Amino acid sequence: MTNRTPIIAGNWKMHNTLAESAALITALTKAGNKNKAEIIVAPSYTSLAEVAKLARGSEIQVASQDVHWEDKGAFTSAVSPVQAKDAGATITLIGHSERRSVFGDSDEILNKKVAAALRHGLKVIFCVGETLQEREENKTMQVIESQLKNGLANFTQEQLKGIVIAYEPVWAIGTGKTATPEQAQEVHAAIRAYLTGAYSEDFAQATRILYGGSVKDSNVDEIMAQPDVDGALVGGQSLIAEKFARIINFN
Ligand code: PEP
């Protein structure tokens, strides 16, 4: 890793009651942060305000798992960037593979969501990744470049300054199968090369690229040792305080 500040982010998905979320964030505020990482948690919407309240004054930042592209309106069940911010989020995930595959978020929709988040000053963690079939057909970078090109279309590098990219191979999410550190490094380097070509060398060097997909306390150290891996987006193990604390304090 270079001098980019590492990010360790936990995606709690559709887990945890309010009480469980409160207990988890309270434990995490005592986890330490020996790498001076940016620590982020993305609780479900029902816990967002409570977690943000309990995280206040700690080093932990709170993210929304998604946002709608409109500020308000007749969009039953959706949450707007205005509401996410109001609840205490300063960051949002966009394009998580479950949003893409389960809820049908297309590149075009994701592009509108990125615009909405940026319009309201939410930092974006933009997720990309290939399926197993796409990897086996040697289409990994083709898929990722198209996700980046279309999802981030029509923004200048100035507008995208501070965006974080999360590389999450779909075949590694929640499956227990982790990309090897070499596989992760290869794709991260290719993403950085893409960013250099699409924007500039400075932009690419400053942009944090996270790896996600079955990151555990037992494999985080070797993943974080890769030069182009700037952090981790963690699902399952971010729900277990001791495990996530160990991930935050990677070696
Ligand atoms: C995720 O959902 O972003 C993720 C990486 O999940 P897990 O760590 O459980 O594979």
Side-chain angles (χ1 to χ4, degrees), residues 12-22 42-54 62-66 77-79 83-84 87:
W12 296 358
K13 307 193 184 187
M14 197 175 70
H15 291 288
N16 285 354
T17 61
L18 209 44
E20 287 164 344
S21 293
S44 61
Y45 293 127
T46 54
S47 294
L48 198 52
E50 180 70 5
V51 169
K53 191 178 86 189
L54 292 170
V62 178
S64 180
Q65 294 178 12
D66 185 39
S77 89
V79 168
Q83 293 171 313

Side-chain angles (χ1 to χ4, degrees), residues 17 24 36 45 52 83 135 150 177 184 216 232:
T17 61
L24 181 53
K36 300 199 183 326
Y45 293 127
Q83 293 171 313
R135 172 163 281 264
N150 297 321
K177 280 187 208 157
K216 306 182 195 73

Side-chain angles (χ1 to χ4, degrees), residues 147-188:
Q147 289 170 337
L148 290 170
K149 185 164 175 275
N150 297 321
L152 303 180
N154 305 319
F155 300 116
T156 62
Q157 63 173 300
E158 196 49 45
Q159 289 170 307
L160 292 177
K161 199 171 164 207
I163 195 167
V164 174
I165 308 296
Y167 167 55
E168 300 205 298
V170 178
W171 48 271
I173 297 179
T175 58
K177 280 187 208 157
T178 319
T180 64
E182 294 72 27
Q183 283 173 320
Q185 168 56 27
E186 187 184 16
V187 177
H188 282 228

Side-chain angles (χ1 to χ4, degrees), residues 11 13 93 96-98 127 168 172-177 211-216 233-238:
N11 175 13
K13 307 193 184 187
L93 303 183
H96 189 278
S97 81
E98 286 145 24
C127 308
E168 300 205 298
I173 297 179
T175 58
K177 280 187 208 157
Y211 170 77
S214 298
V215 172
K216 306 182 195 73
L233 178 53
V234 186
Q237 287 221 332
S238 72

Side-chain angles (χ1 to χ4, degrees), residues 112-124:
K112 292 202 284 182
K113 291 182 170 185
V114 172
L118 296 179
R119 189 166 71 237
H120 289 287
L122 284 169
K123 261 172 97 175
V124 171

Side-chain angles (χ1 to χ4, degrees), residues 189-201:
I191 291 175
R192 208 175 299 285
Y194 167 83
L195 296 176
T196 302
Y199 304 100
S200 68
E201 176 72 19

